[in-house]
Amino acid sequence: MRAVILHDGKLSVGEVPLPEPGHGQIRLKVTRTGICGSDLHVRLDAEPSADVAAEVGYPDFIRSSHHVVMGHEFTGIVDEYGPGCRRRWKPGQAVVSLPLIKHGDDIHMTGMSQHAPGGYAEYLLVSEAATMPVPNGLDPGLAALTEPLAVAHHAVRRGDVAKDDTAVVIGCGPIGLAVILMLKAAGVRRVVASDFSGPRRELARTCGADIVVDPAVQSPWDVLGDDKRLVTNATALYGAGIGAMDALQRIPGVPWWTVMRLGQRFGAGPRGAAVFECVGVPGVIEDIVTHAPFRSRVVVVGVCMQPDTFRPTMASNKEVDLRFSFCYDPAEFRETLHMVARRRINPRPLITGVVDLDGVPEAFDQLAKADKHAKILVNPHKTP
């Protein structure tokens, strides 16, 4: 079969053996695969990610010396079962799968290891246990977005965002746009989005952002002033506490401390914004910690490949929660698929191009420019 092979930072299209499904595995005929931002990073500098993966217990992550077929955002149709499968679906059934595959007792990251070739190919292998049927009629291009949208779904859940919270999305690349879609699907009424790119700001509006700013012209933090619950300086925070004490002490026979605790349990008092860092560039976390309202929850979704610094004393003084989000669980993956199928979210604006296998190297170059494109899909069986 034909596939796109990465080796030493270079992408080339060539012939590789047709994969044969092993125990508990299914061979899929790939219909669409999304090009992920992490693929762009790994292509040029795989070693830092591989080193971190090895430190956390996965020693088989892609390295520059490996020959790897990438592509972990994919959908396809059932082609052939291996031994030991339950054969839950007929051949031709459209499915998606978690990008993880079992080889015996080992688990590998599909598209991110030479042991688990991914979706930049005509066929790939998946574990039957990790596979889910695509609801009838769902376009394969939208089904292929399940994986990146699931990343955003998990990130939003990590942010503990209430419907009346103010959410701020820093960076409107594919993941930032997906976060906006998921915030609006969760019913969040006020979403502020910020990006230097004009085309991406337009996509943010299309995806449902209520306020979109160009940070070269206006700070995203300046538009939060009309939310009276947000505290932006220390004296206001301290004053709110003393003011509440004074008011409650005027009520005879009522222990002010009990009432204060009860009110806090139901959301009374200062509450920060939910901020999503979707850039992955050194210095962004420090900028957010410095400028975000007090008691904000900052969810870091962007993948920064370099060491970074921020001032812990600033975060401590403002009681900022700094959380990191990486992936998703199987239930979130399935929820995302069905949210798309039921049209609770419309991710179609994210798709800004479709290429065949021969077009993948150029698509990588276009996406690296971070201008007009959001998500380019690969159709491995497309003819020029």
Side-chain angles (χ1 to χ4, degrees):
M1 69 171 184
R2 300 179 77 232
V4 179
I5 304 153
L6 174 66
H7 172 65
D8 197 22
K10 296 180 175 62
L11 296 165
S12 61
V13 182
E15 295 283 334
V16 299
L18 182 71
E20 294 297 329
H23 185 85
Q25 296 176 351
I26 308 172
R27 183 170 68 208
L28 302 185
K29 181 179 180 180
V30 180
T31 51
R32 294 290 188 280
T33 300
I35 298 177
C36 178
S38 60
D39 293 343
L40 305 182
H41 290 298
V42 167
R43 174 197 178 186
L44 298 176
D45 193 11
E47 303 308 315
S49 294
D51 290 342
V52 170
E55 285 189 56
V56 299
Y58 184 62
D60 297 307
F61 194 88
I62 178 175
R63 291 190 179 274
S64 58
S65 60
H66 296 168
H67 292 77
V68 176
V69 178
M70 291 194 296
H72 58 275
E73 305 172 357
F74 56 83
T75 184
I77 60 175
V78 174
D79 183 61
E80 184 175 322
Y81 285 98
C85 286
R86 295 166 59 191
R87 299 178 176 267
R88 298 167 61 192
W89 309 288
K90 295 179 181 179
Q93 168 68 51
V95 295
V96 294
S97 173
L98 299 171
L100 297 169
I101 187 168
K102 289 191 69 176
H103 293 303
D105 293 331
D106 297 328
I107 296 180
H108 290 288
M109 300 173 66
T110 303
M112 287 294 180
S113 168
Q114 59 184 346
H115 300 293
Y120 300 159
E122 293 178 321
Y123 296 85
L124 88 162
L125 300 179
V126 297
S127 287
E128 184 186 40
T131 303
M132 306 171 195
V134 173
N136 290 338
L138 183 60
D139 181 270
L142 299 181
L145 296 179
T146 300
E147 200 277 344
L149 289 168
V151 171
H153 182 30
H154 178 72
V156 170
R157 295 186 70 230
R158 290 277 292 151
D160 293 329
V161 193
K163 292 182 179 181
D164 59 349
D165 279 337
T166 292
V168 182
V169 179
I170 305 297
C172 298
I175 288 299
L177 295 171
V179 167
I180 293 170
L181 287 170
M182 285 298 178
L183 286 167
K184 299 310 290 186
V188 179
R189 300 186 184 97
R190 193 183 194 212
V191 177
V192 178
S194 173
D195 199 288
F196 288 101
S197 166
R200 287 188 169 182
R201 291 197 300 274
E202 287 304 314
L203 284 171
R205 290 188 182 92
T206 302
C207 290
D210 302 286
I211 302 172
V212 179
V213 301
D214 178 356
V217 177
Q218 181 182 25
S219 168
W221 314 111
D222 290 344
V223 303
L224 305 185
D226 58 344
D227 189 338
K228 301 306 180 185
R229 298 177 310 155
L230 299 179
V231 174
T232 56
N233 63 74
T235 54
L237 180 65
Y238 305 150
I242 294 175
M245 278 183 62
D246 181 57
L248 292 172
Q249 287 173 349
R250 295 175 186 276
I251 305 174
V254 175
W256 63 265
W257 55 91
T258 301
V259 178
M260 184 175 287
R261 282 284 180 264
L262 184 64
Q264 290 170 344
R265 187 179 303 173
F266 287 96
R271 179 176 172 87
V275 185
F276 296 86
E277 191 279 290
C278 302
V279 181
V281 172
V284 176
I285 294 175
E286 162 64 15
D287 186 75
I288 291 173
V289 168
T290 300
H291 296 102
F294 283 61
R295 295 185 178 174
S296 290
R297 285 100 56 219
V298 180
V299 182
V300 180
V301 196
V303 180
C304 183
M305 304 301 238
Q306 298 85 33
D308 198 4
T309 62
F310 69 94
R311 292 175 291 170
T313 185
M314 177 66 75
S316 295
N317 273 267
K318 298 173 71 174
E319 293 194 339
V320 169
D321 290 345
L322 192 57
R323 308 175 184 185
F324 291 81
S325 181
F326 178 62
C327 205
Y328 41 76
D329 63 39
E332 289 168 333
F333 193 91
R334 183 187 183 278
E335 289 165 2
T336 301
L337 173 64
H338 286 267
M339 288 169 73
V340 177
R342 294 169 183 165
R343 300 183 180 179
R344 285 187 56 195
I345 56 175
N346 176 22
R348 192 174 293 279
L350 273 61
I351 303 173
T352 53
V354 180
V355 298
D356 59 13
L357 292 175
D358 293 307
V360 170
E362 183 180 353
F364 267 63
D365 293 338
Q366 291 178 359
L367 288 167
K369 297 174 183 176
D371 187 14
K372 65 177 182 178
H373 282 294
K375 180 67 66 176
I376 295 179
L377 301 181
V378 182
N379 179 354
H381 298 275
K382 179 182 177 182
T383 56

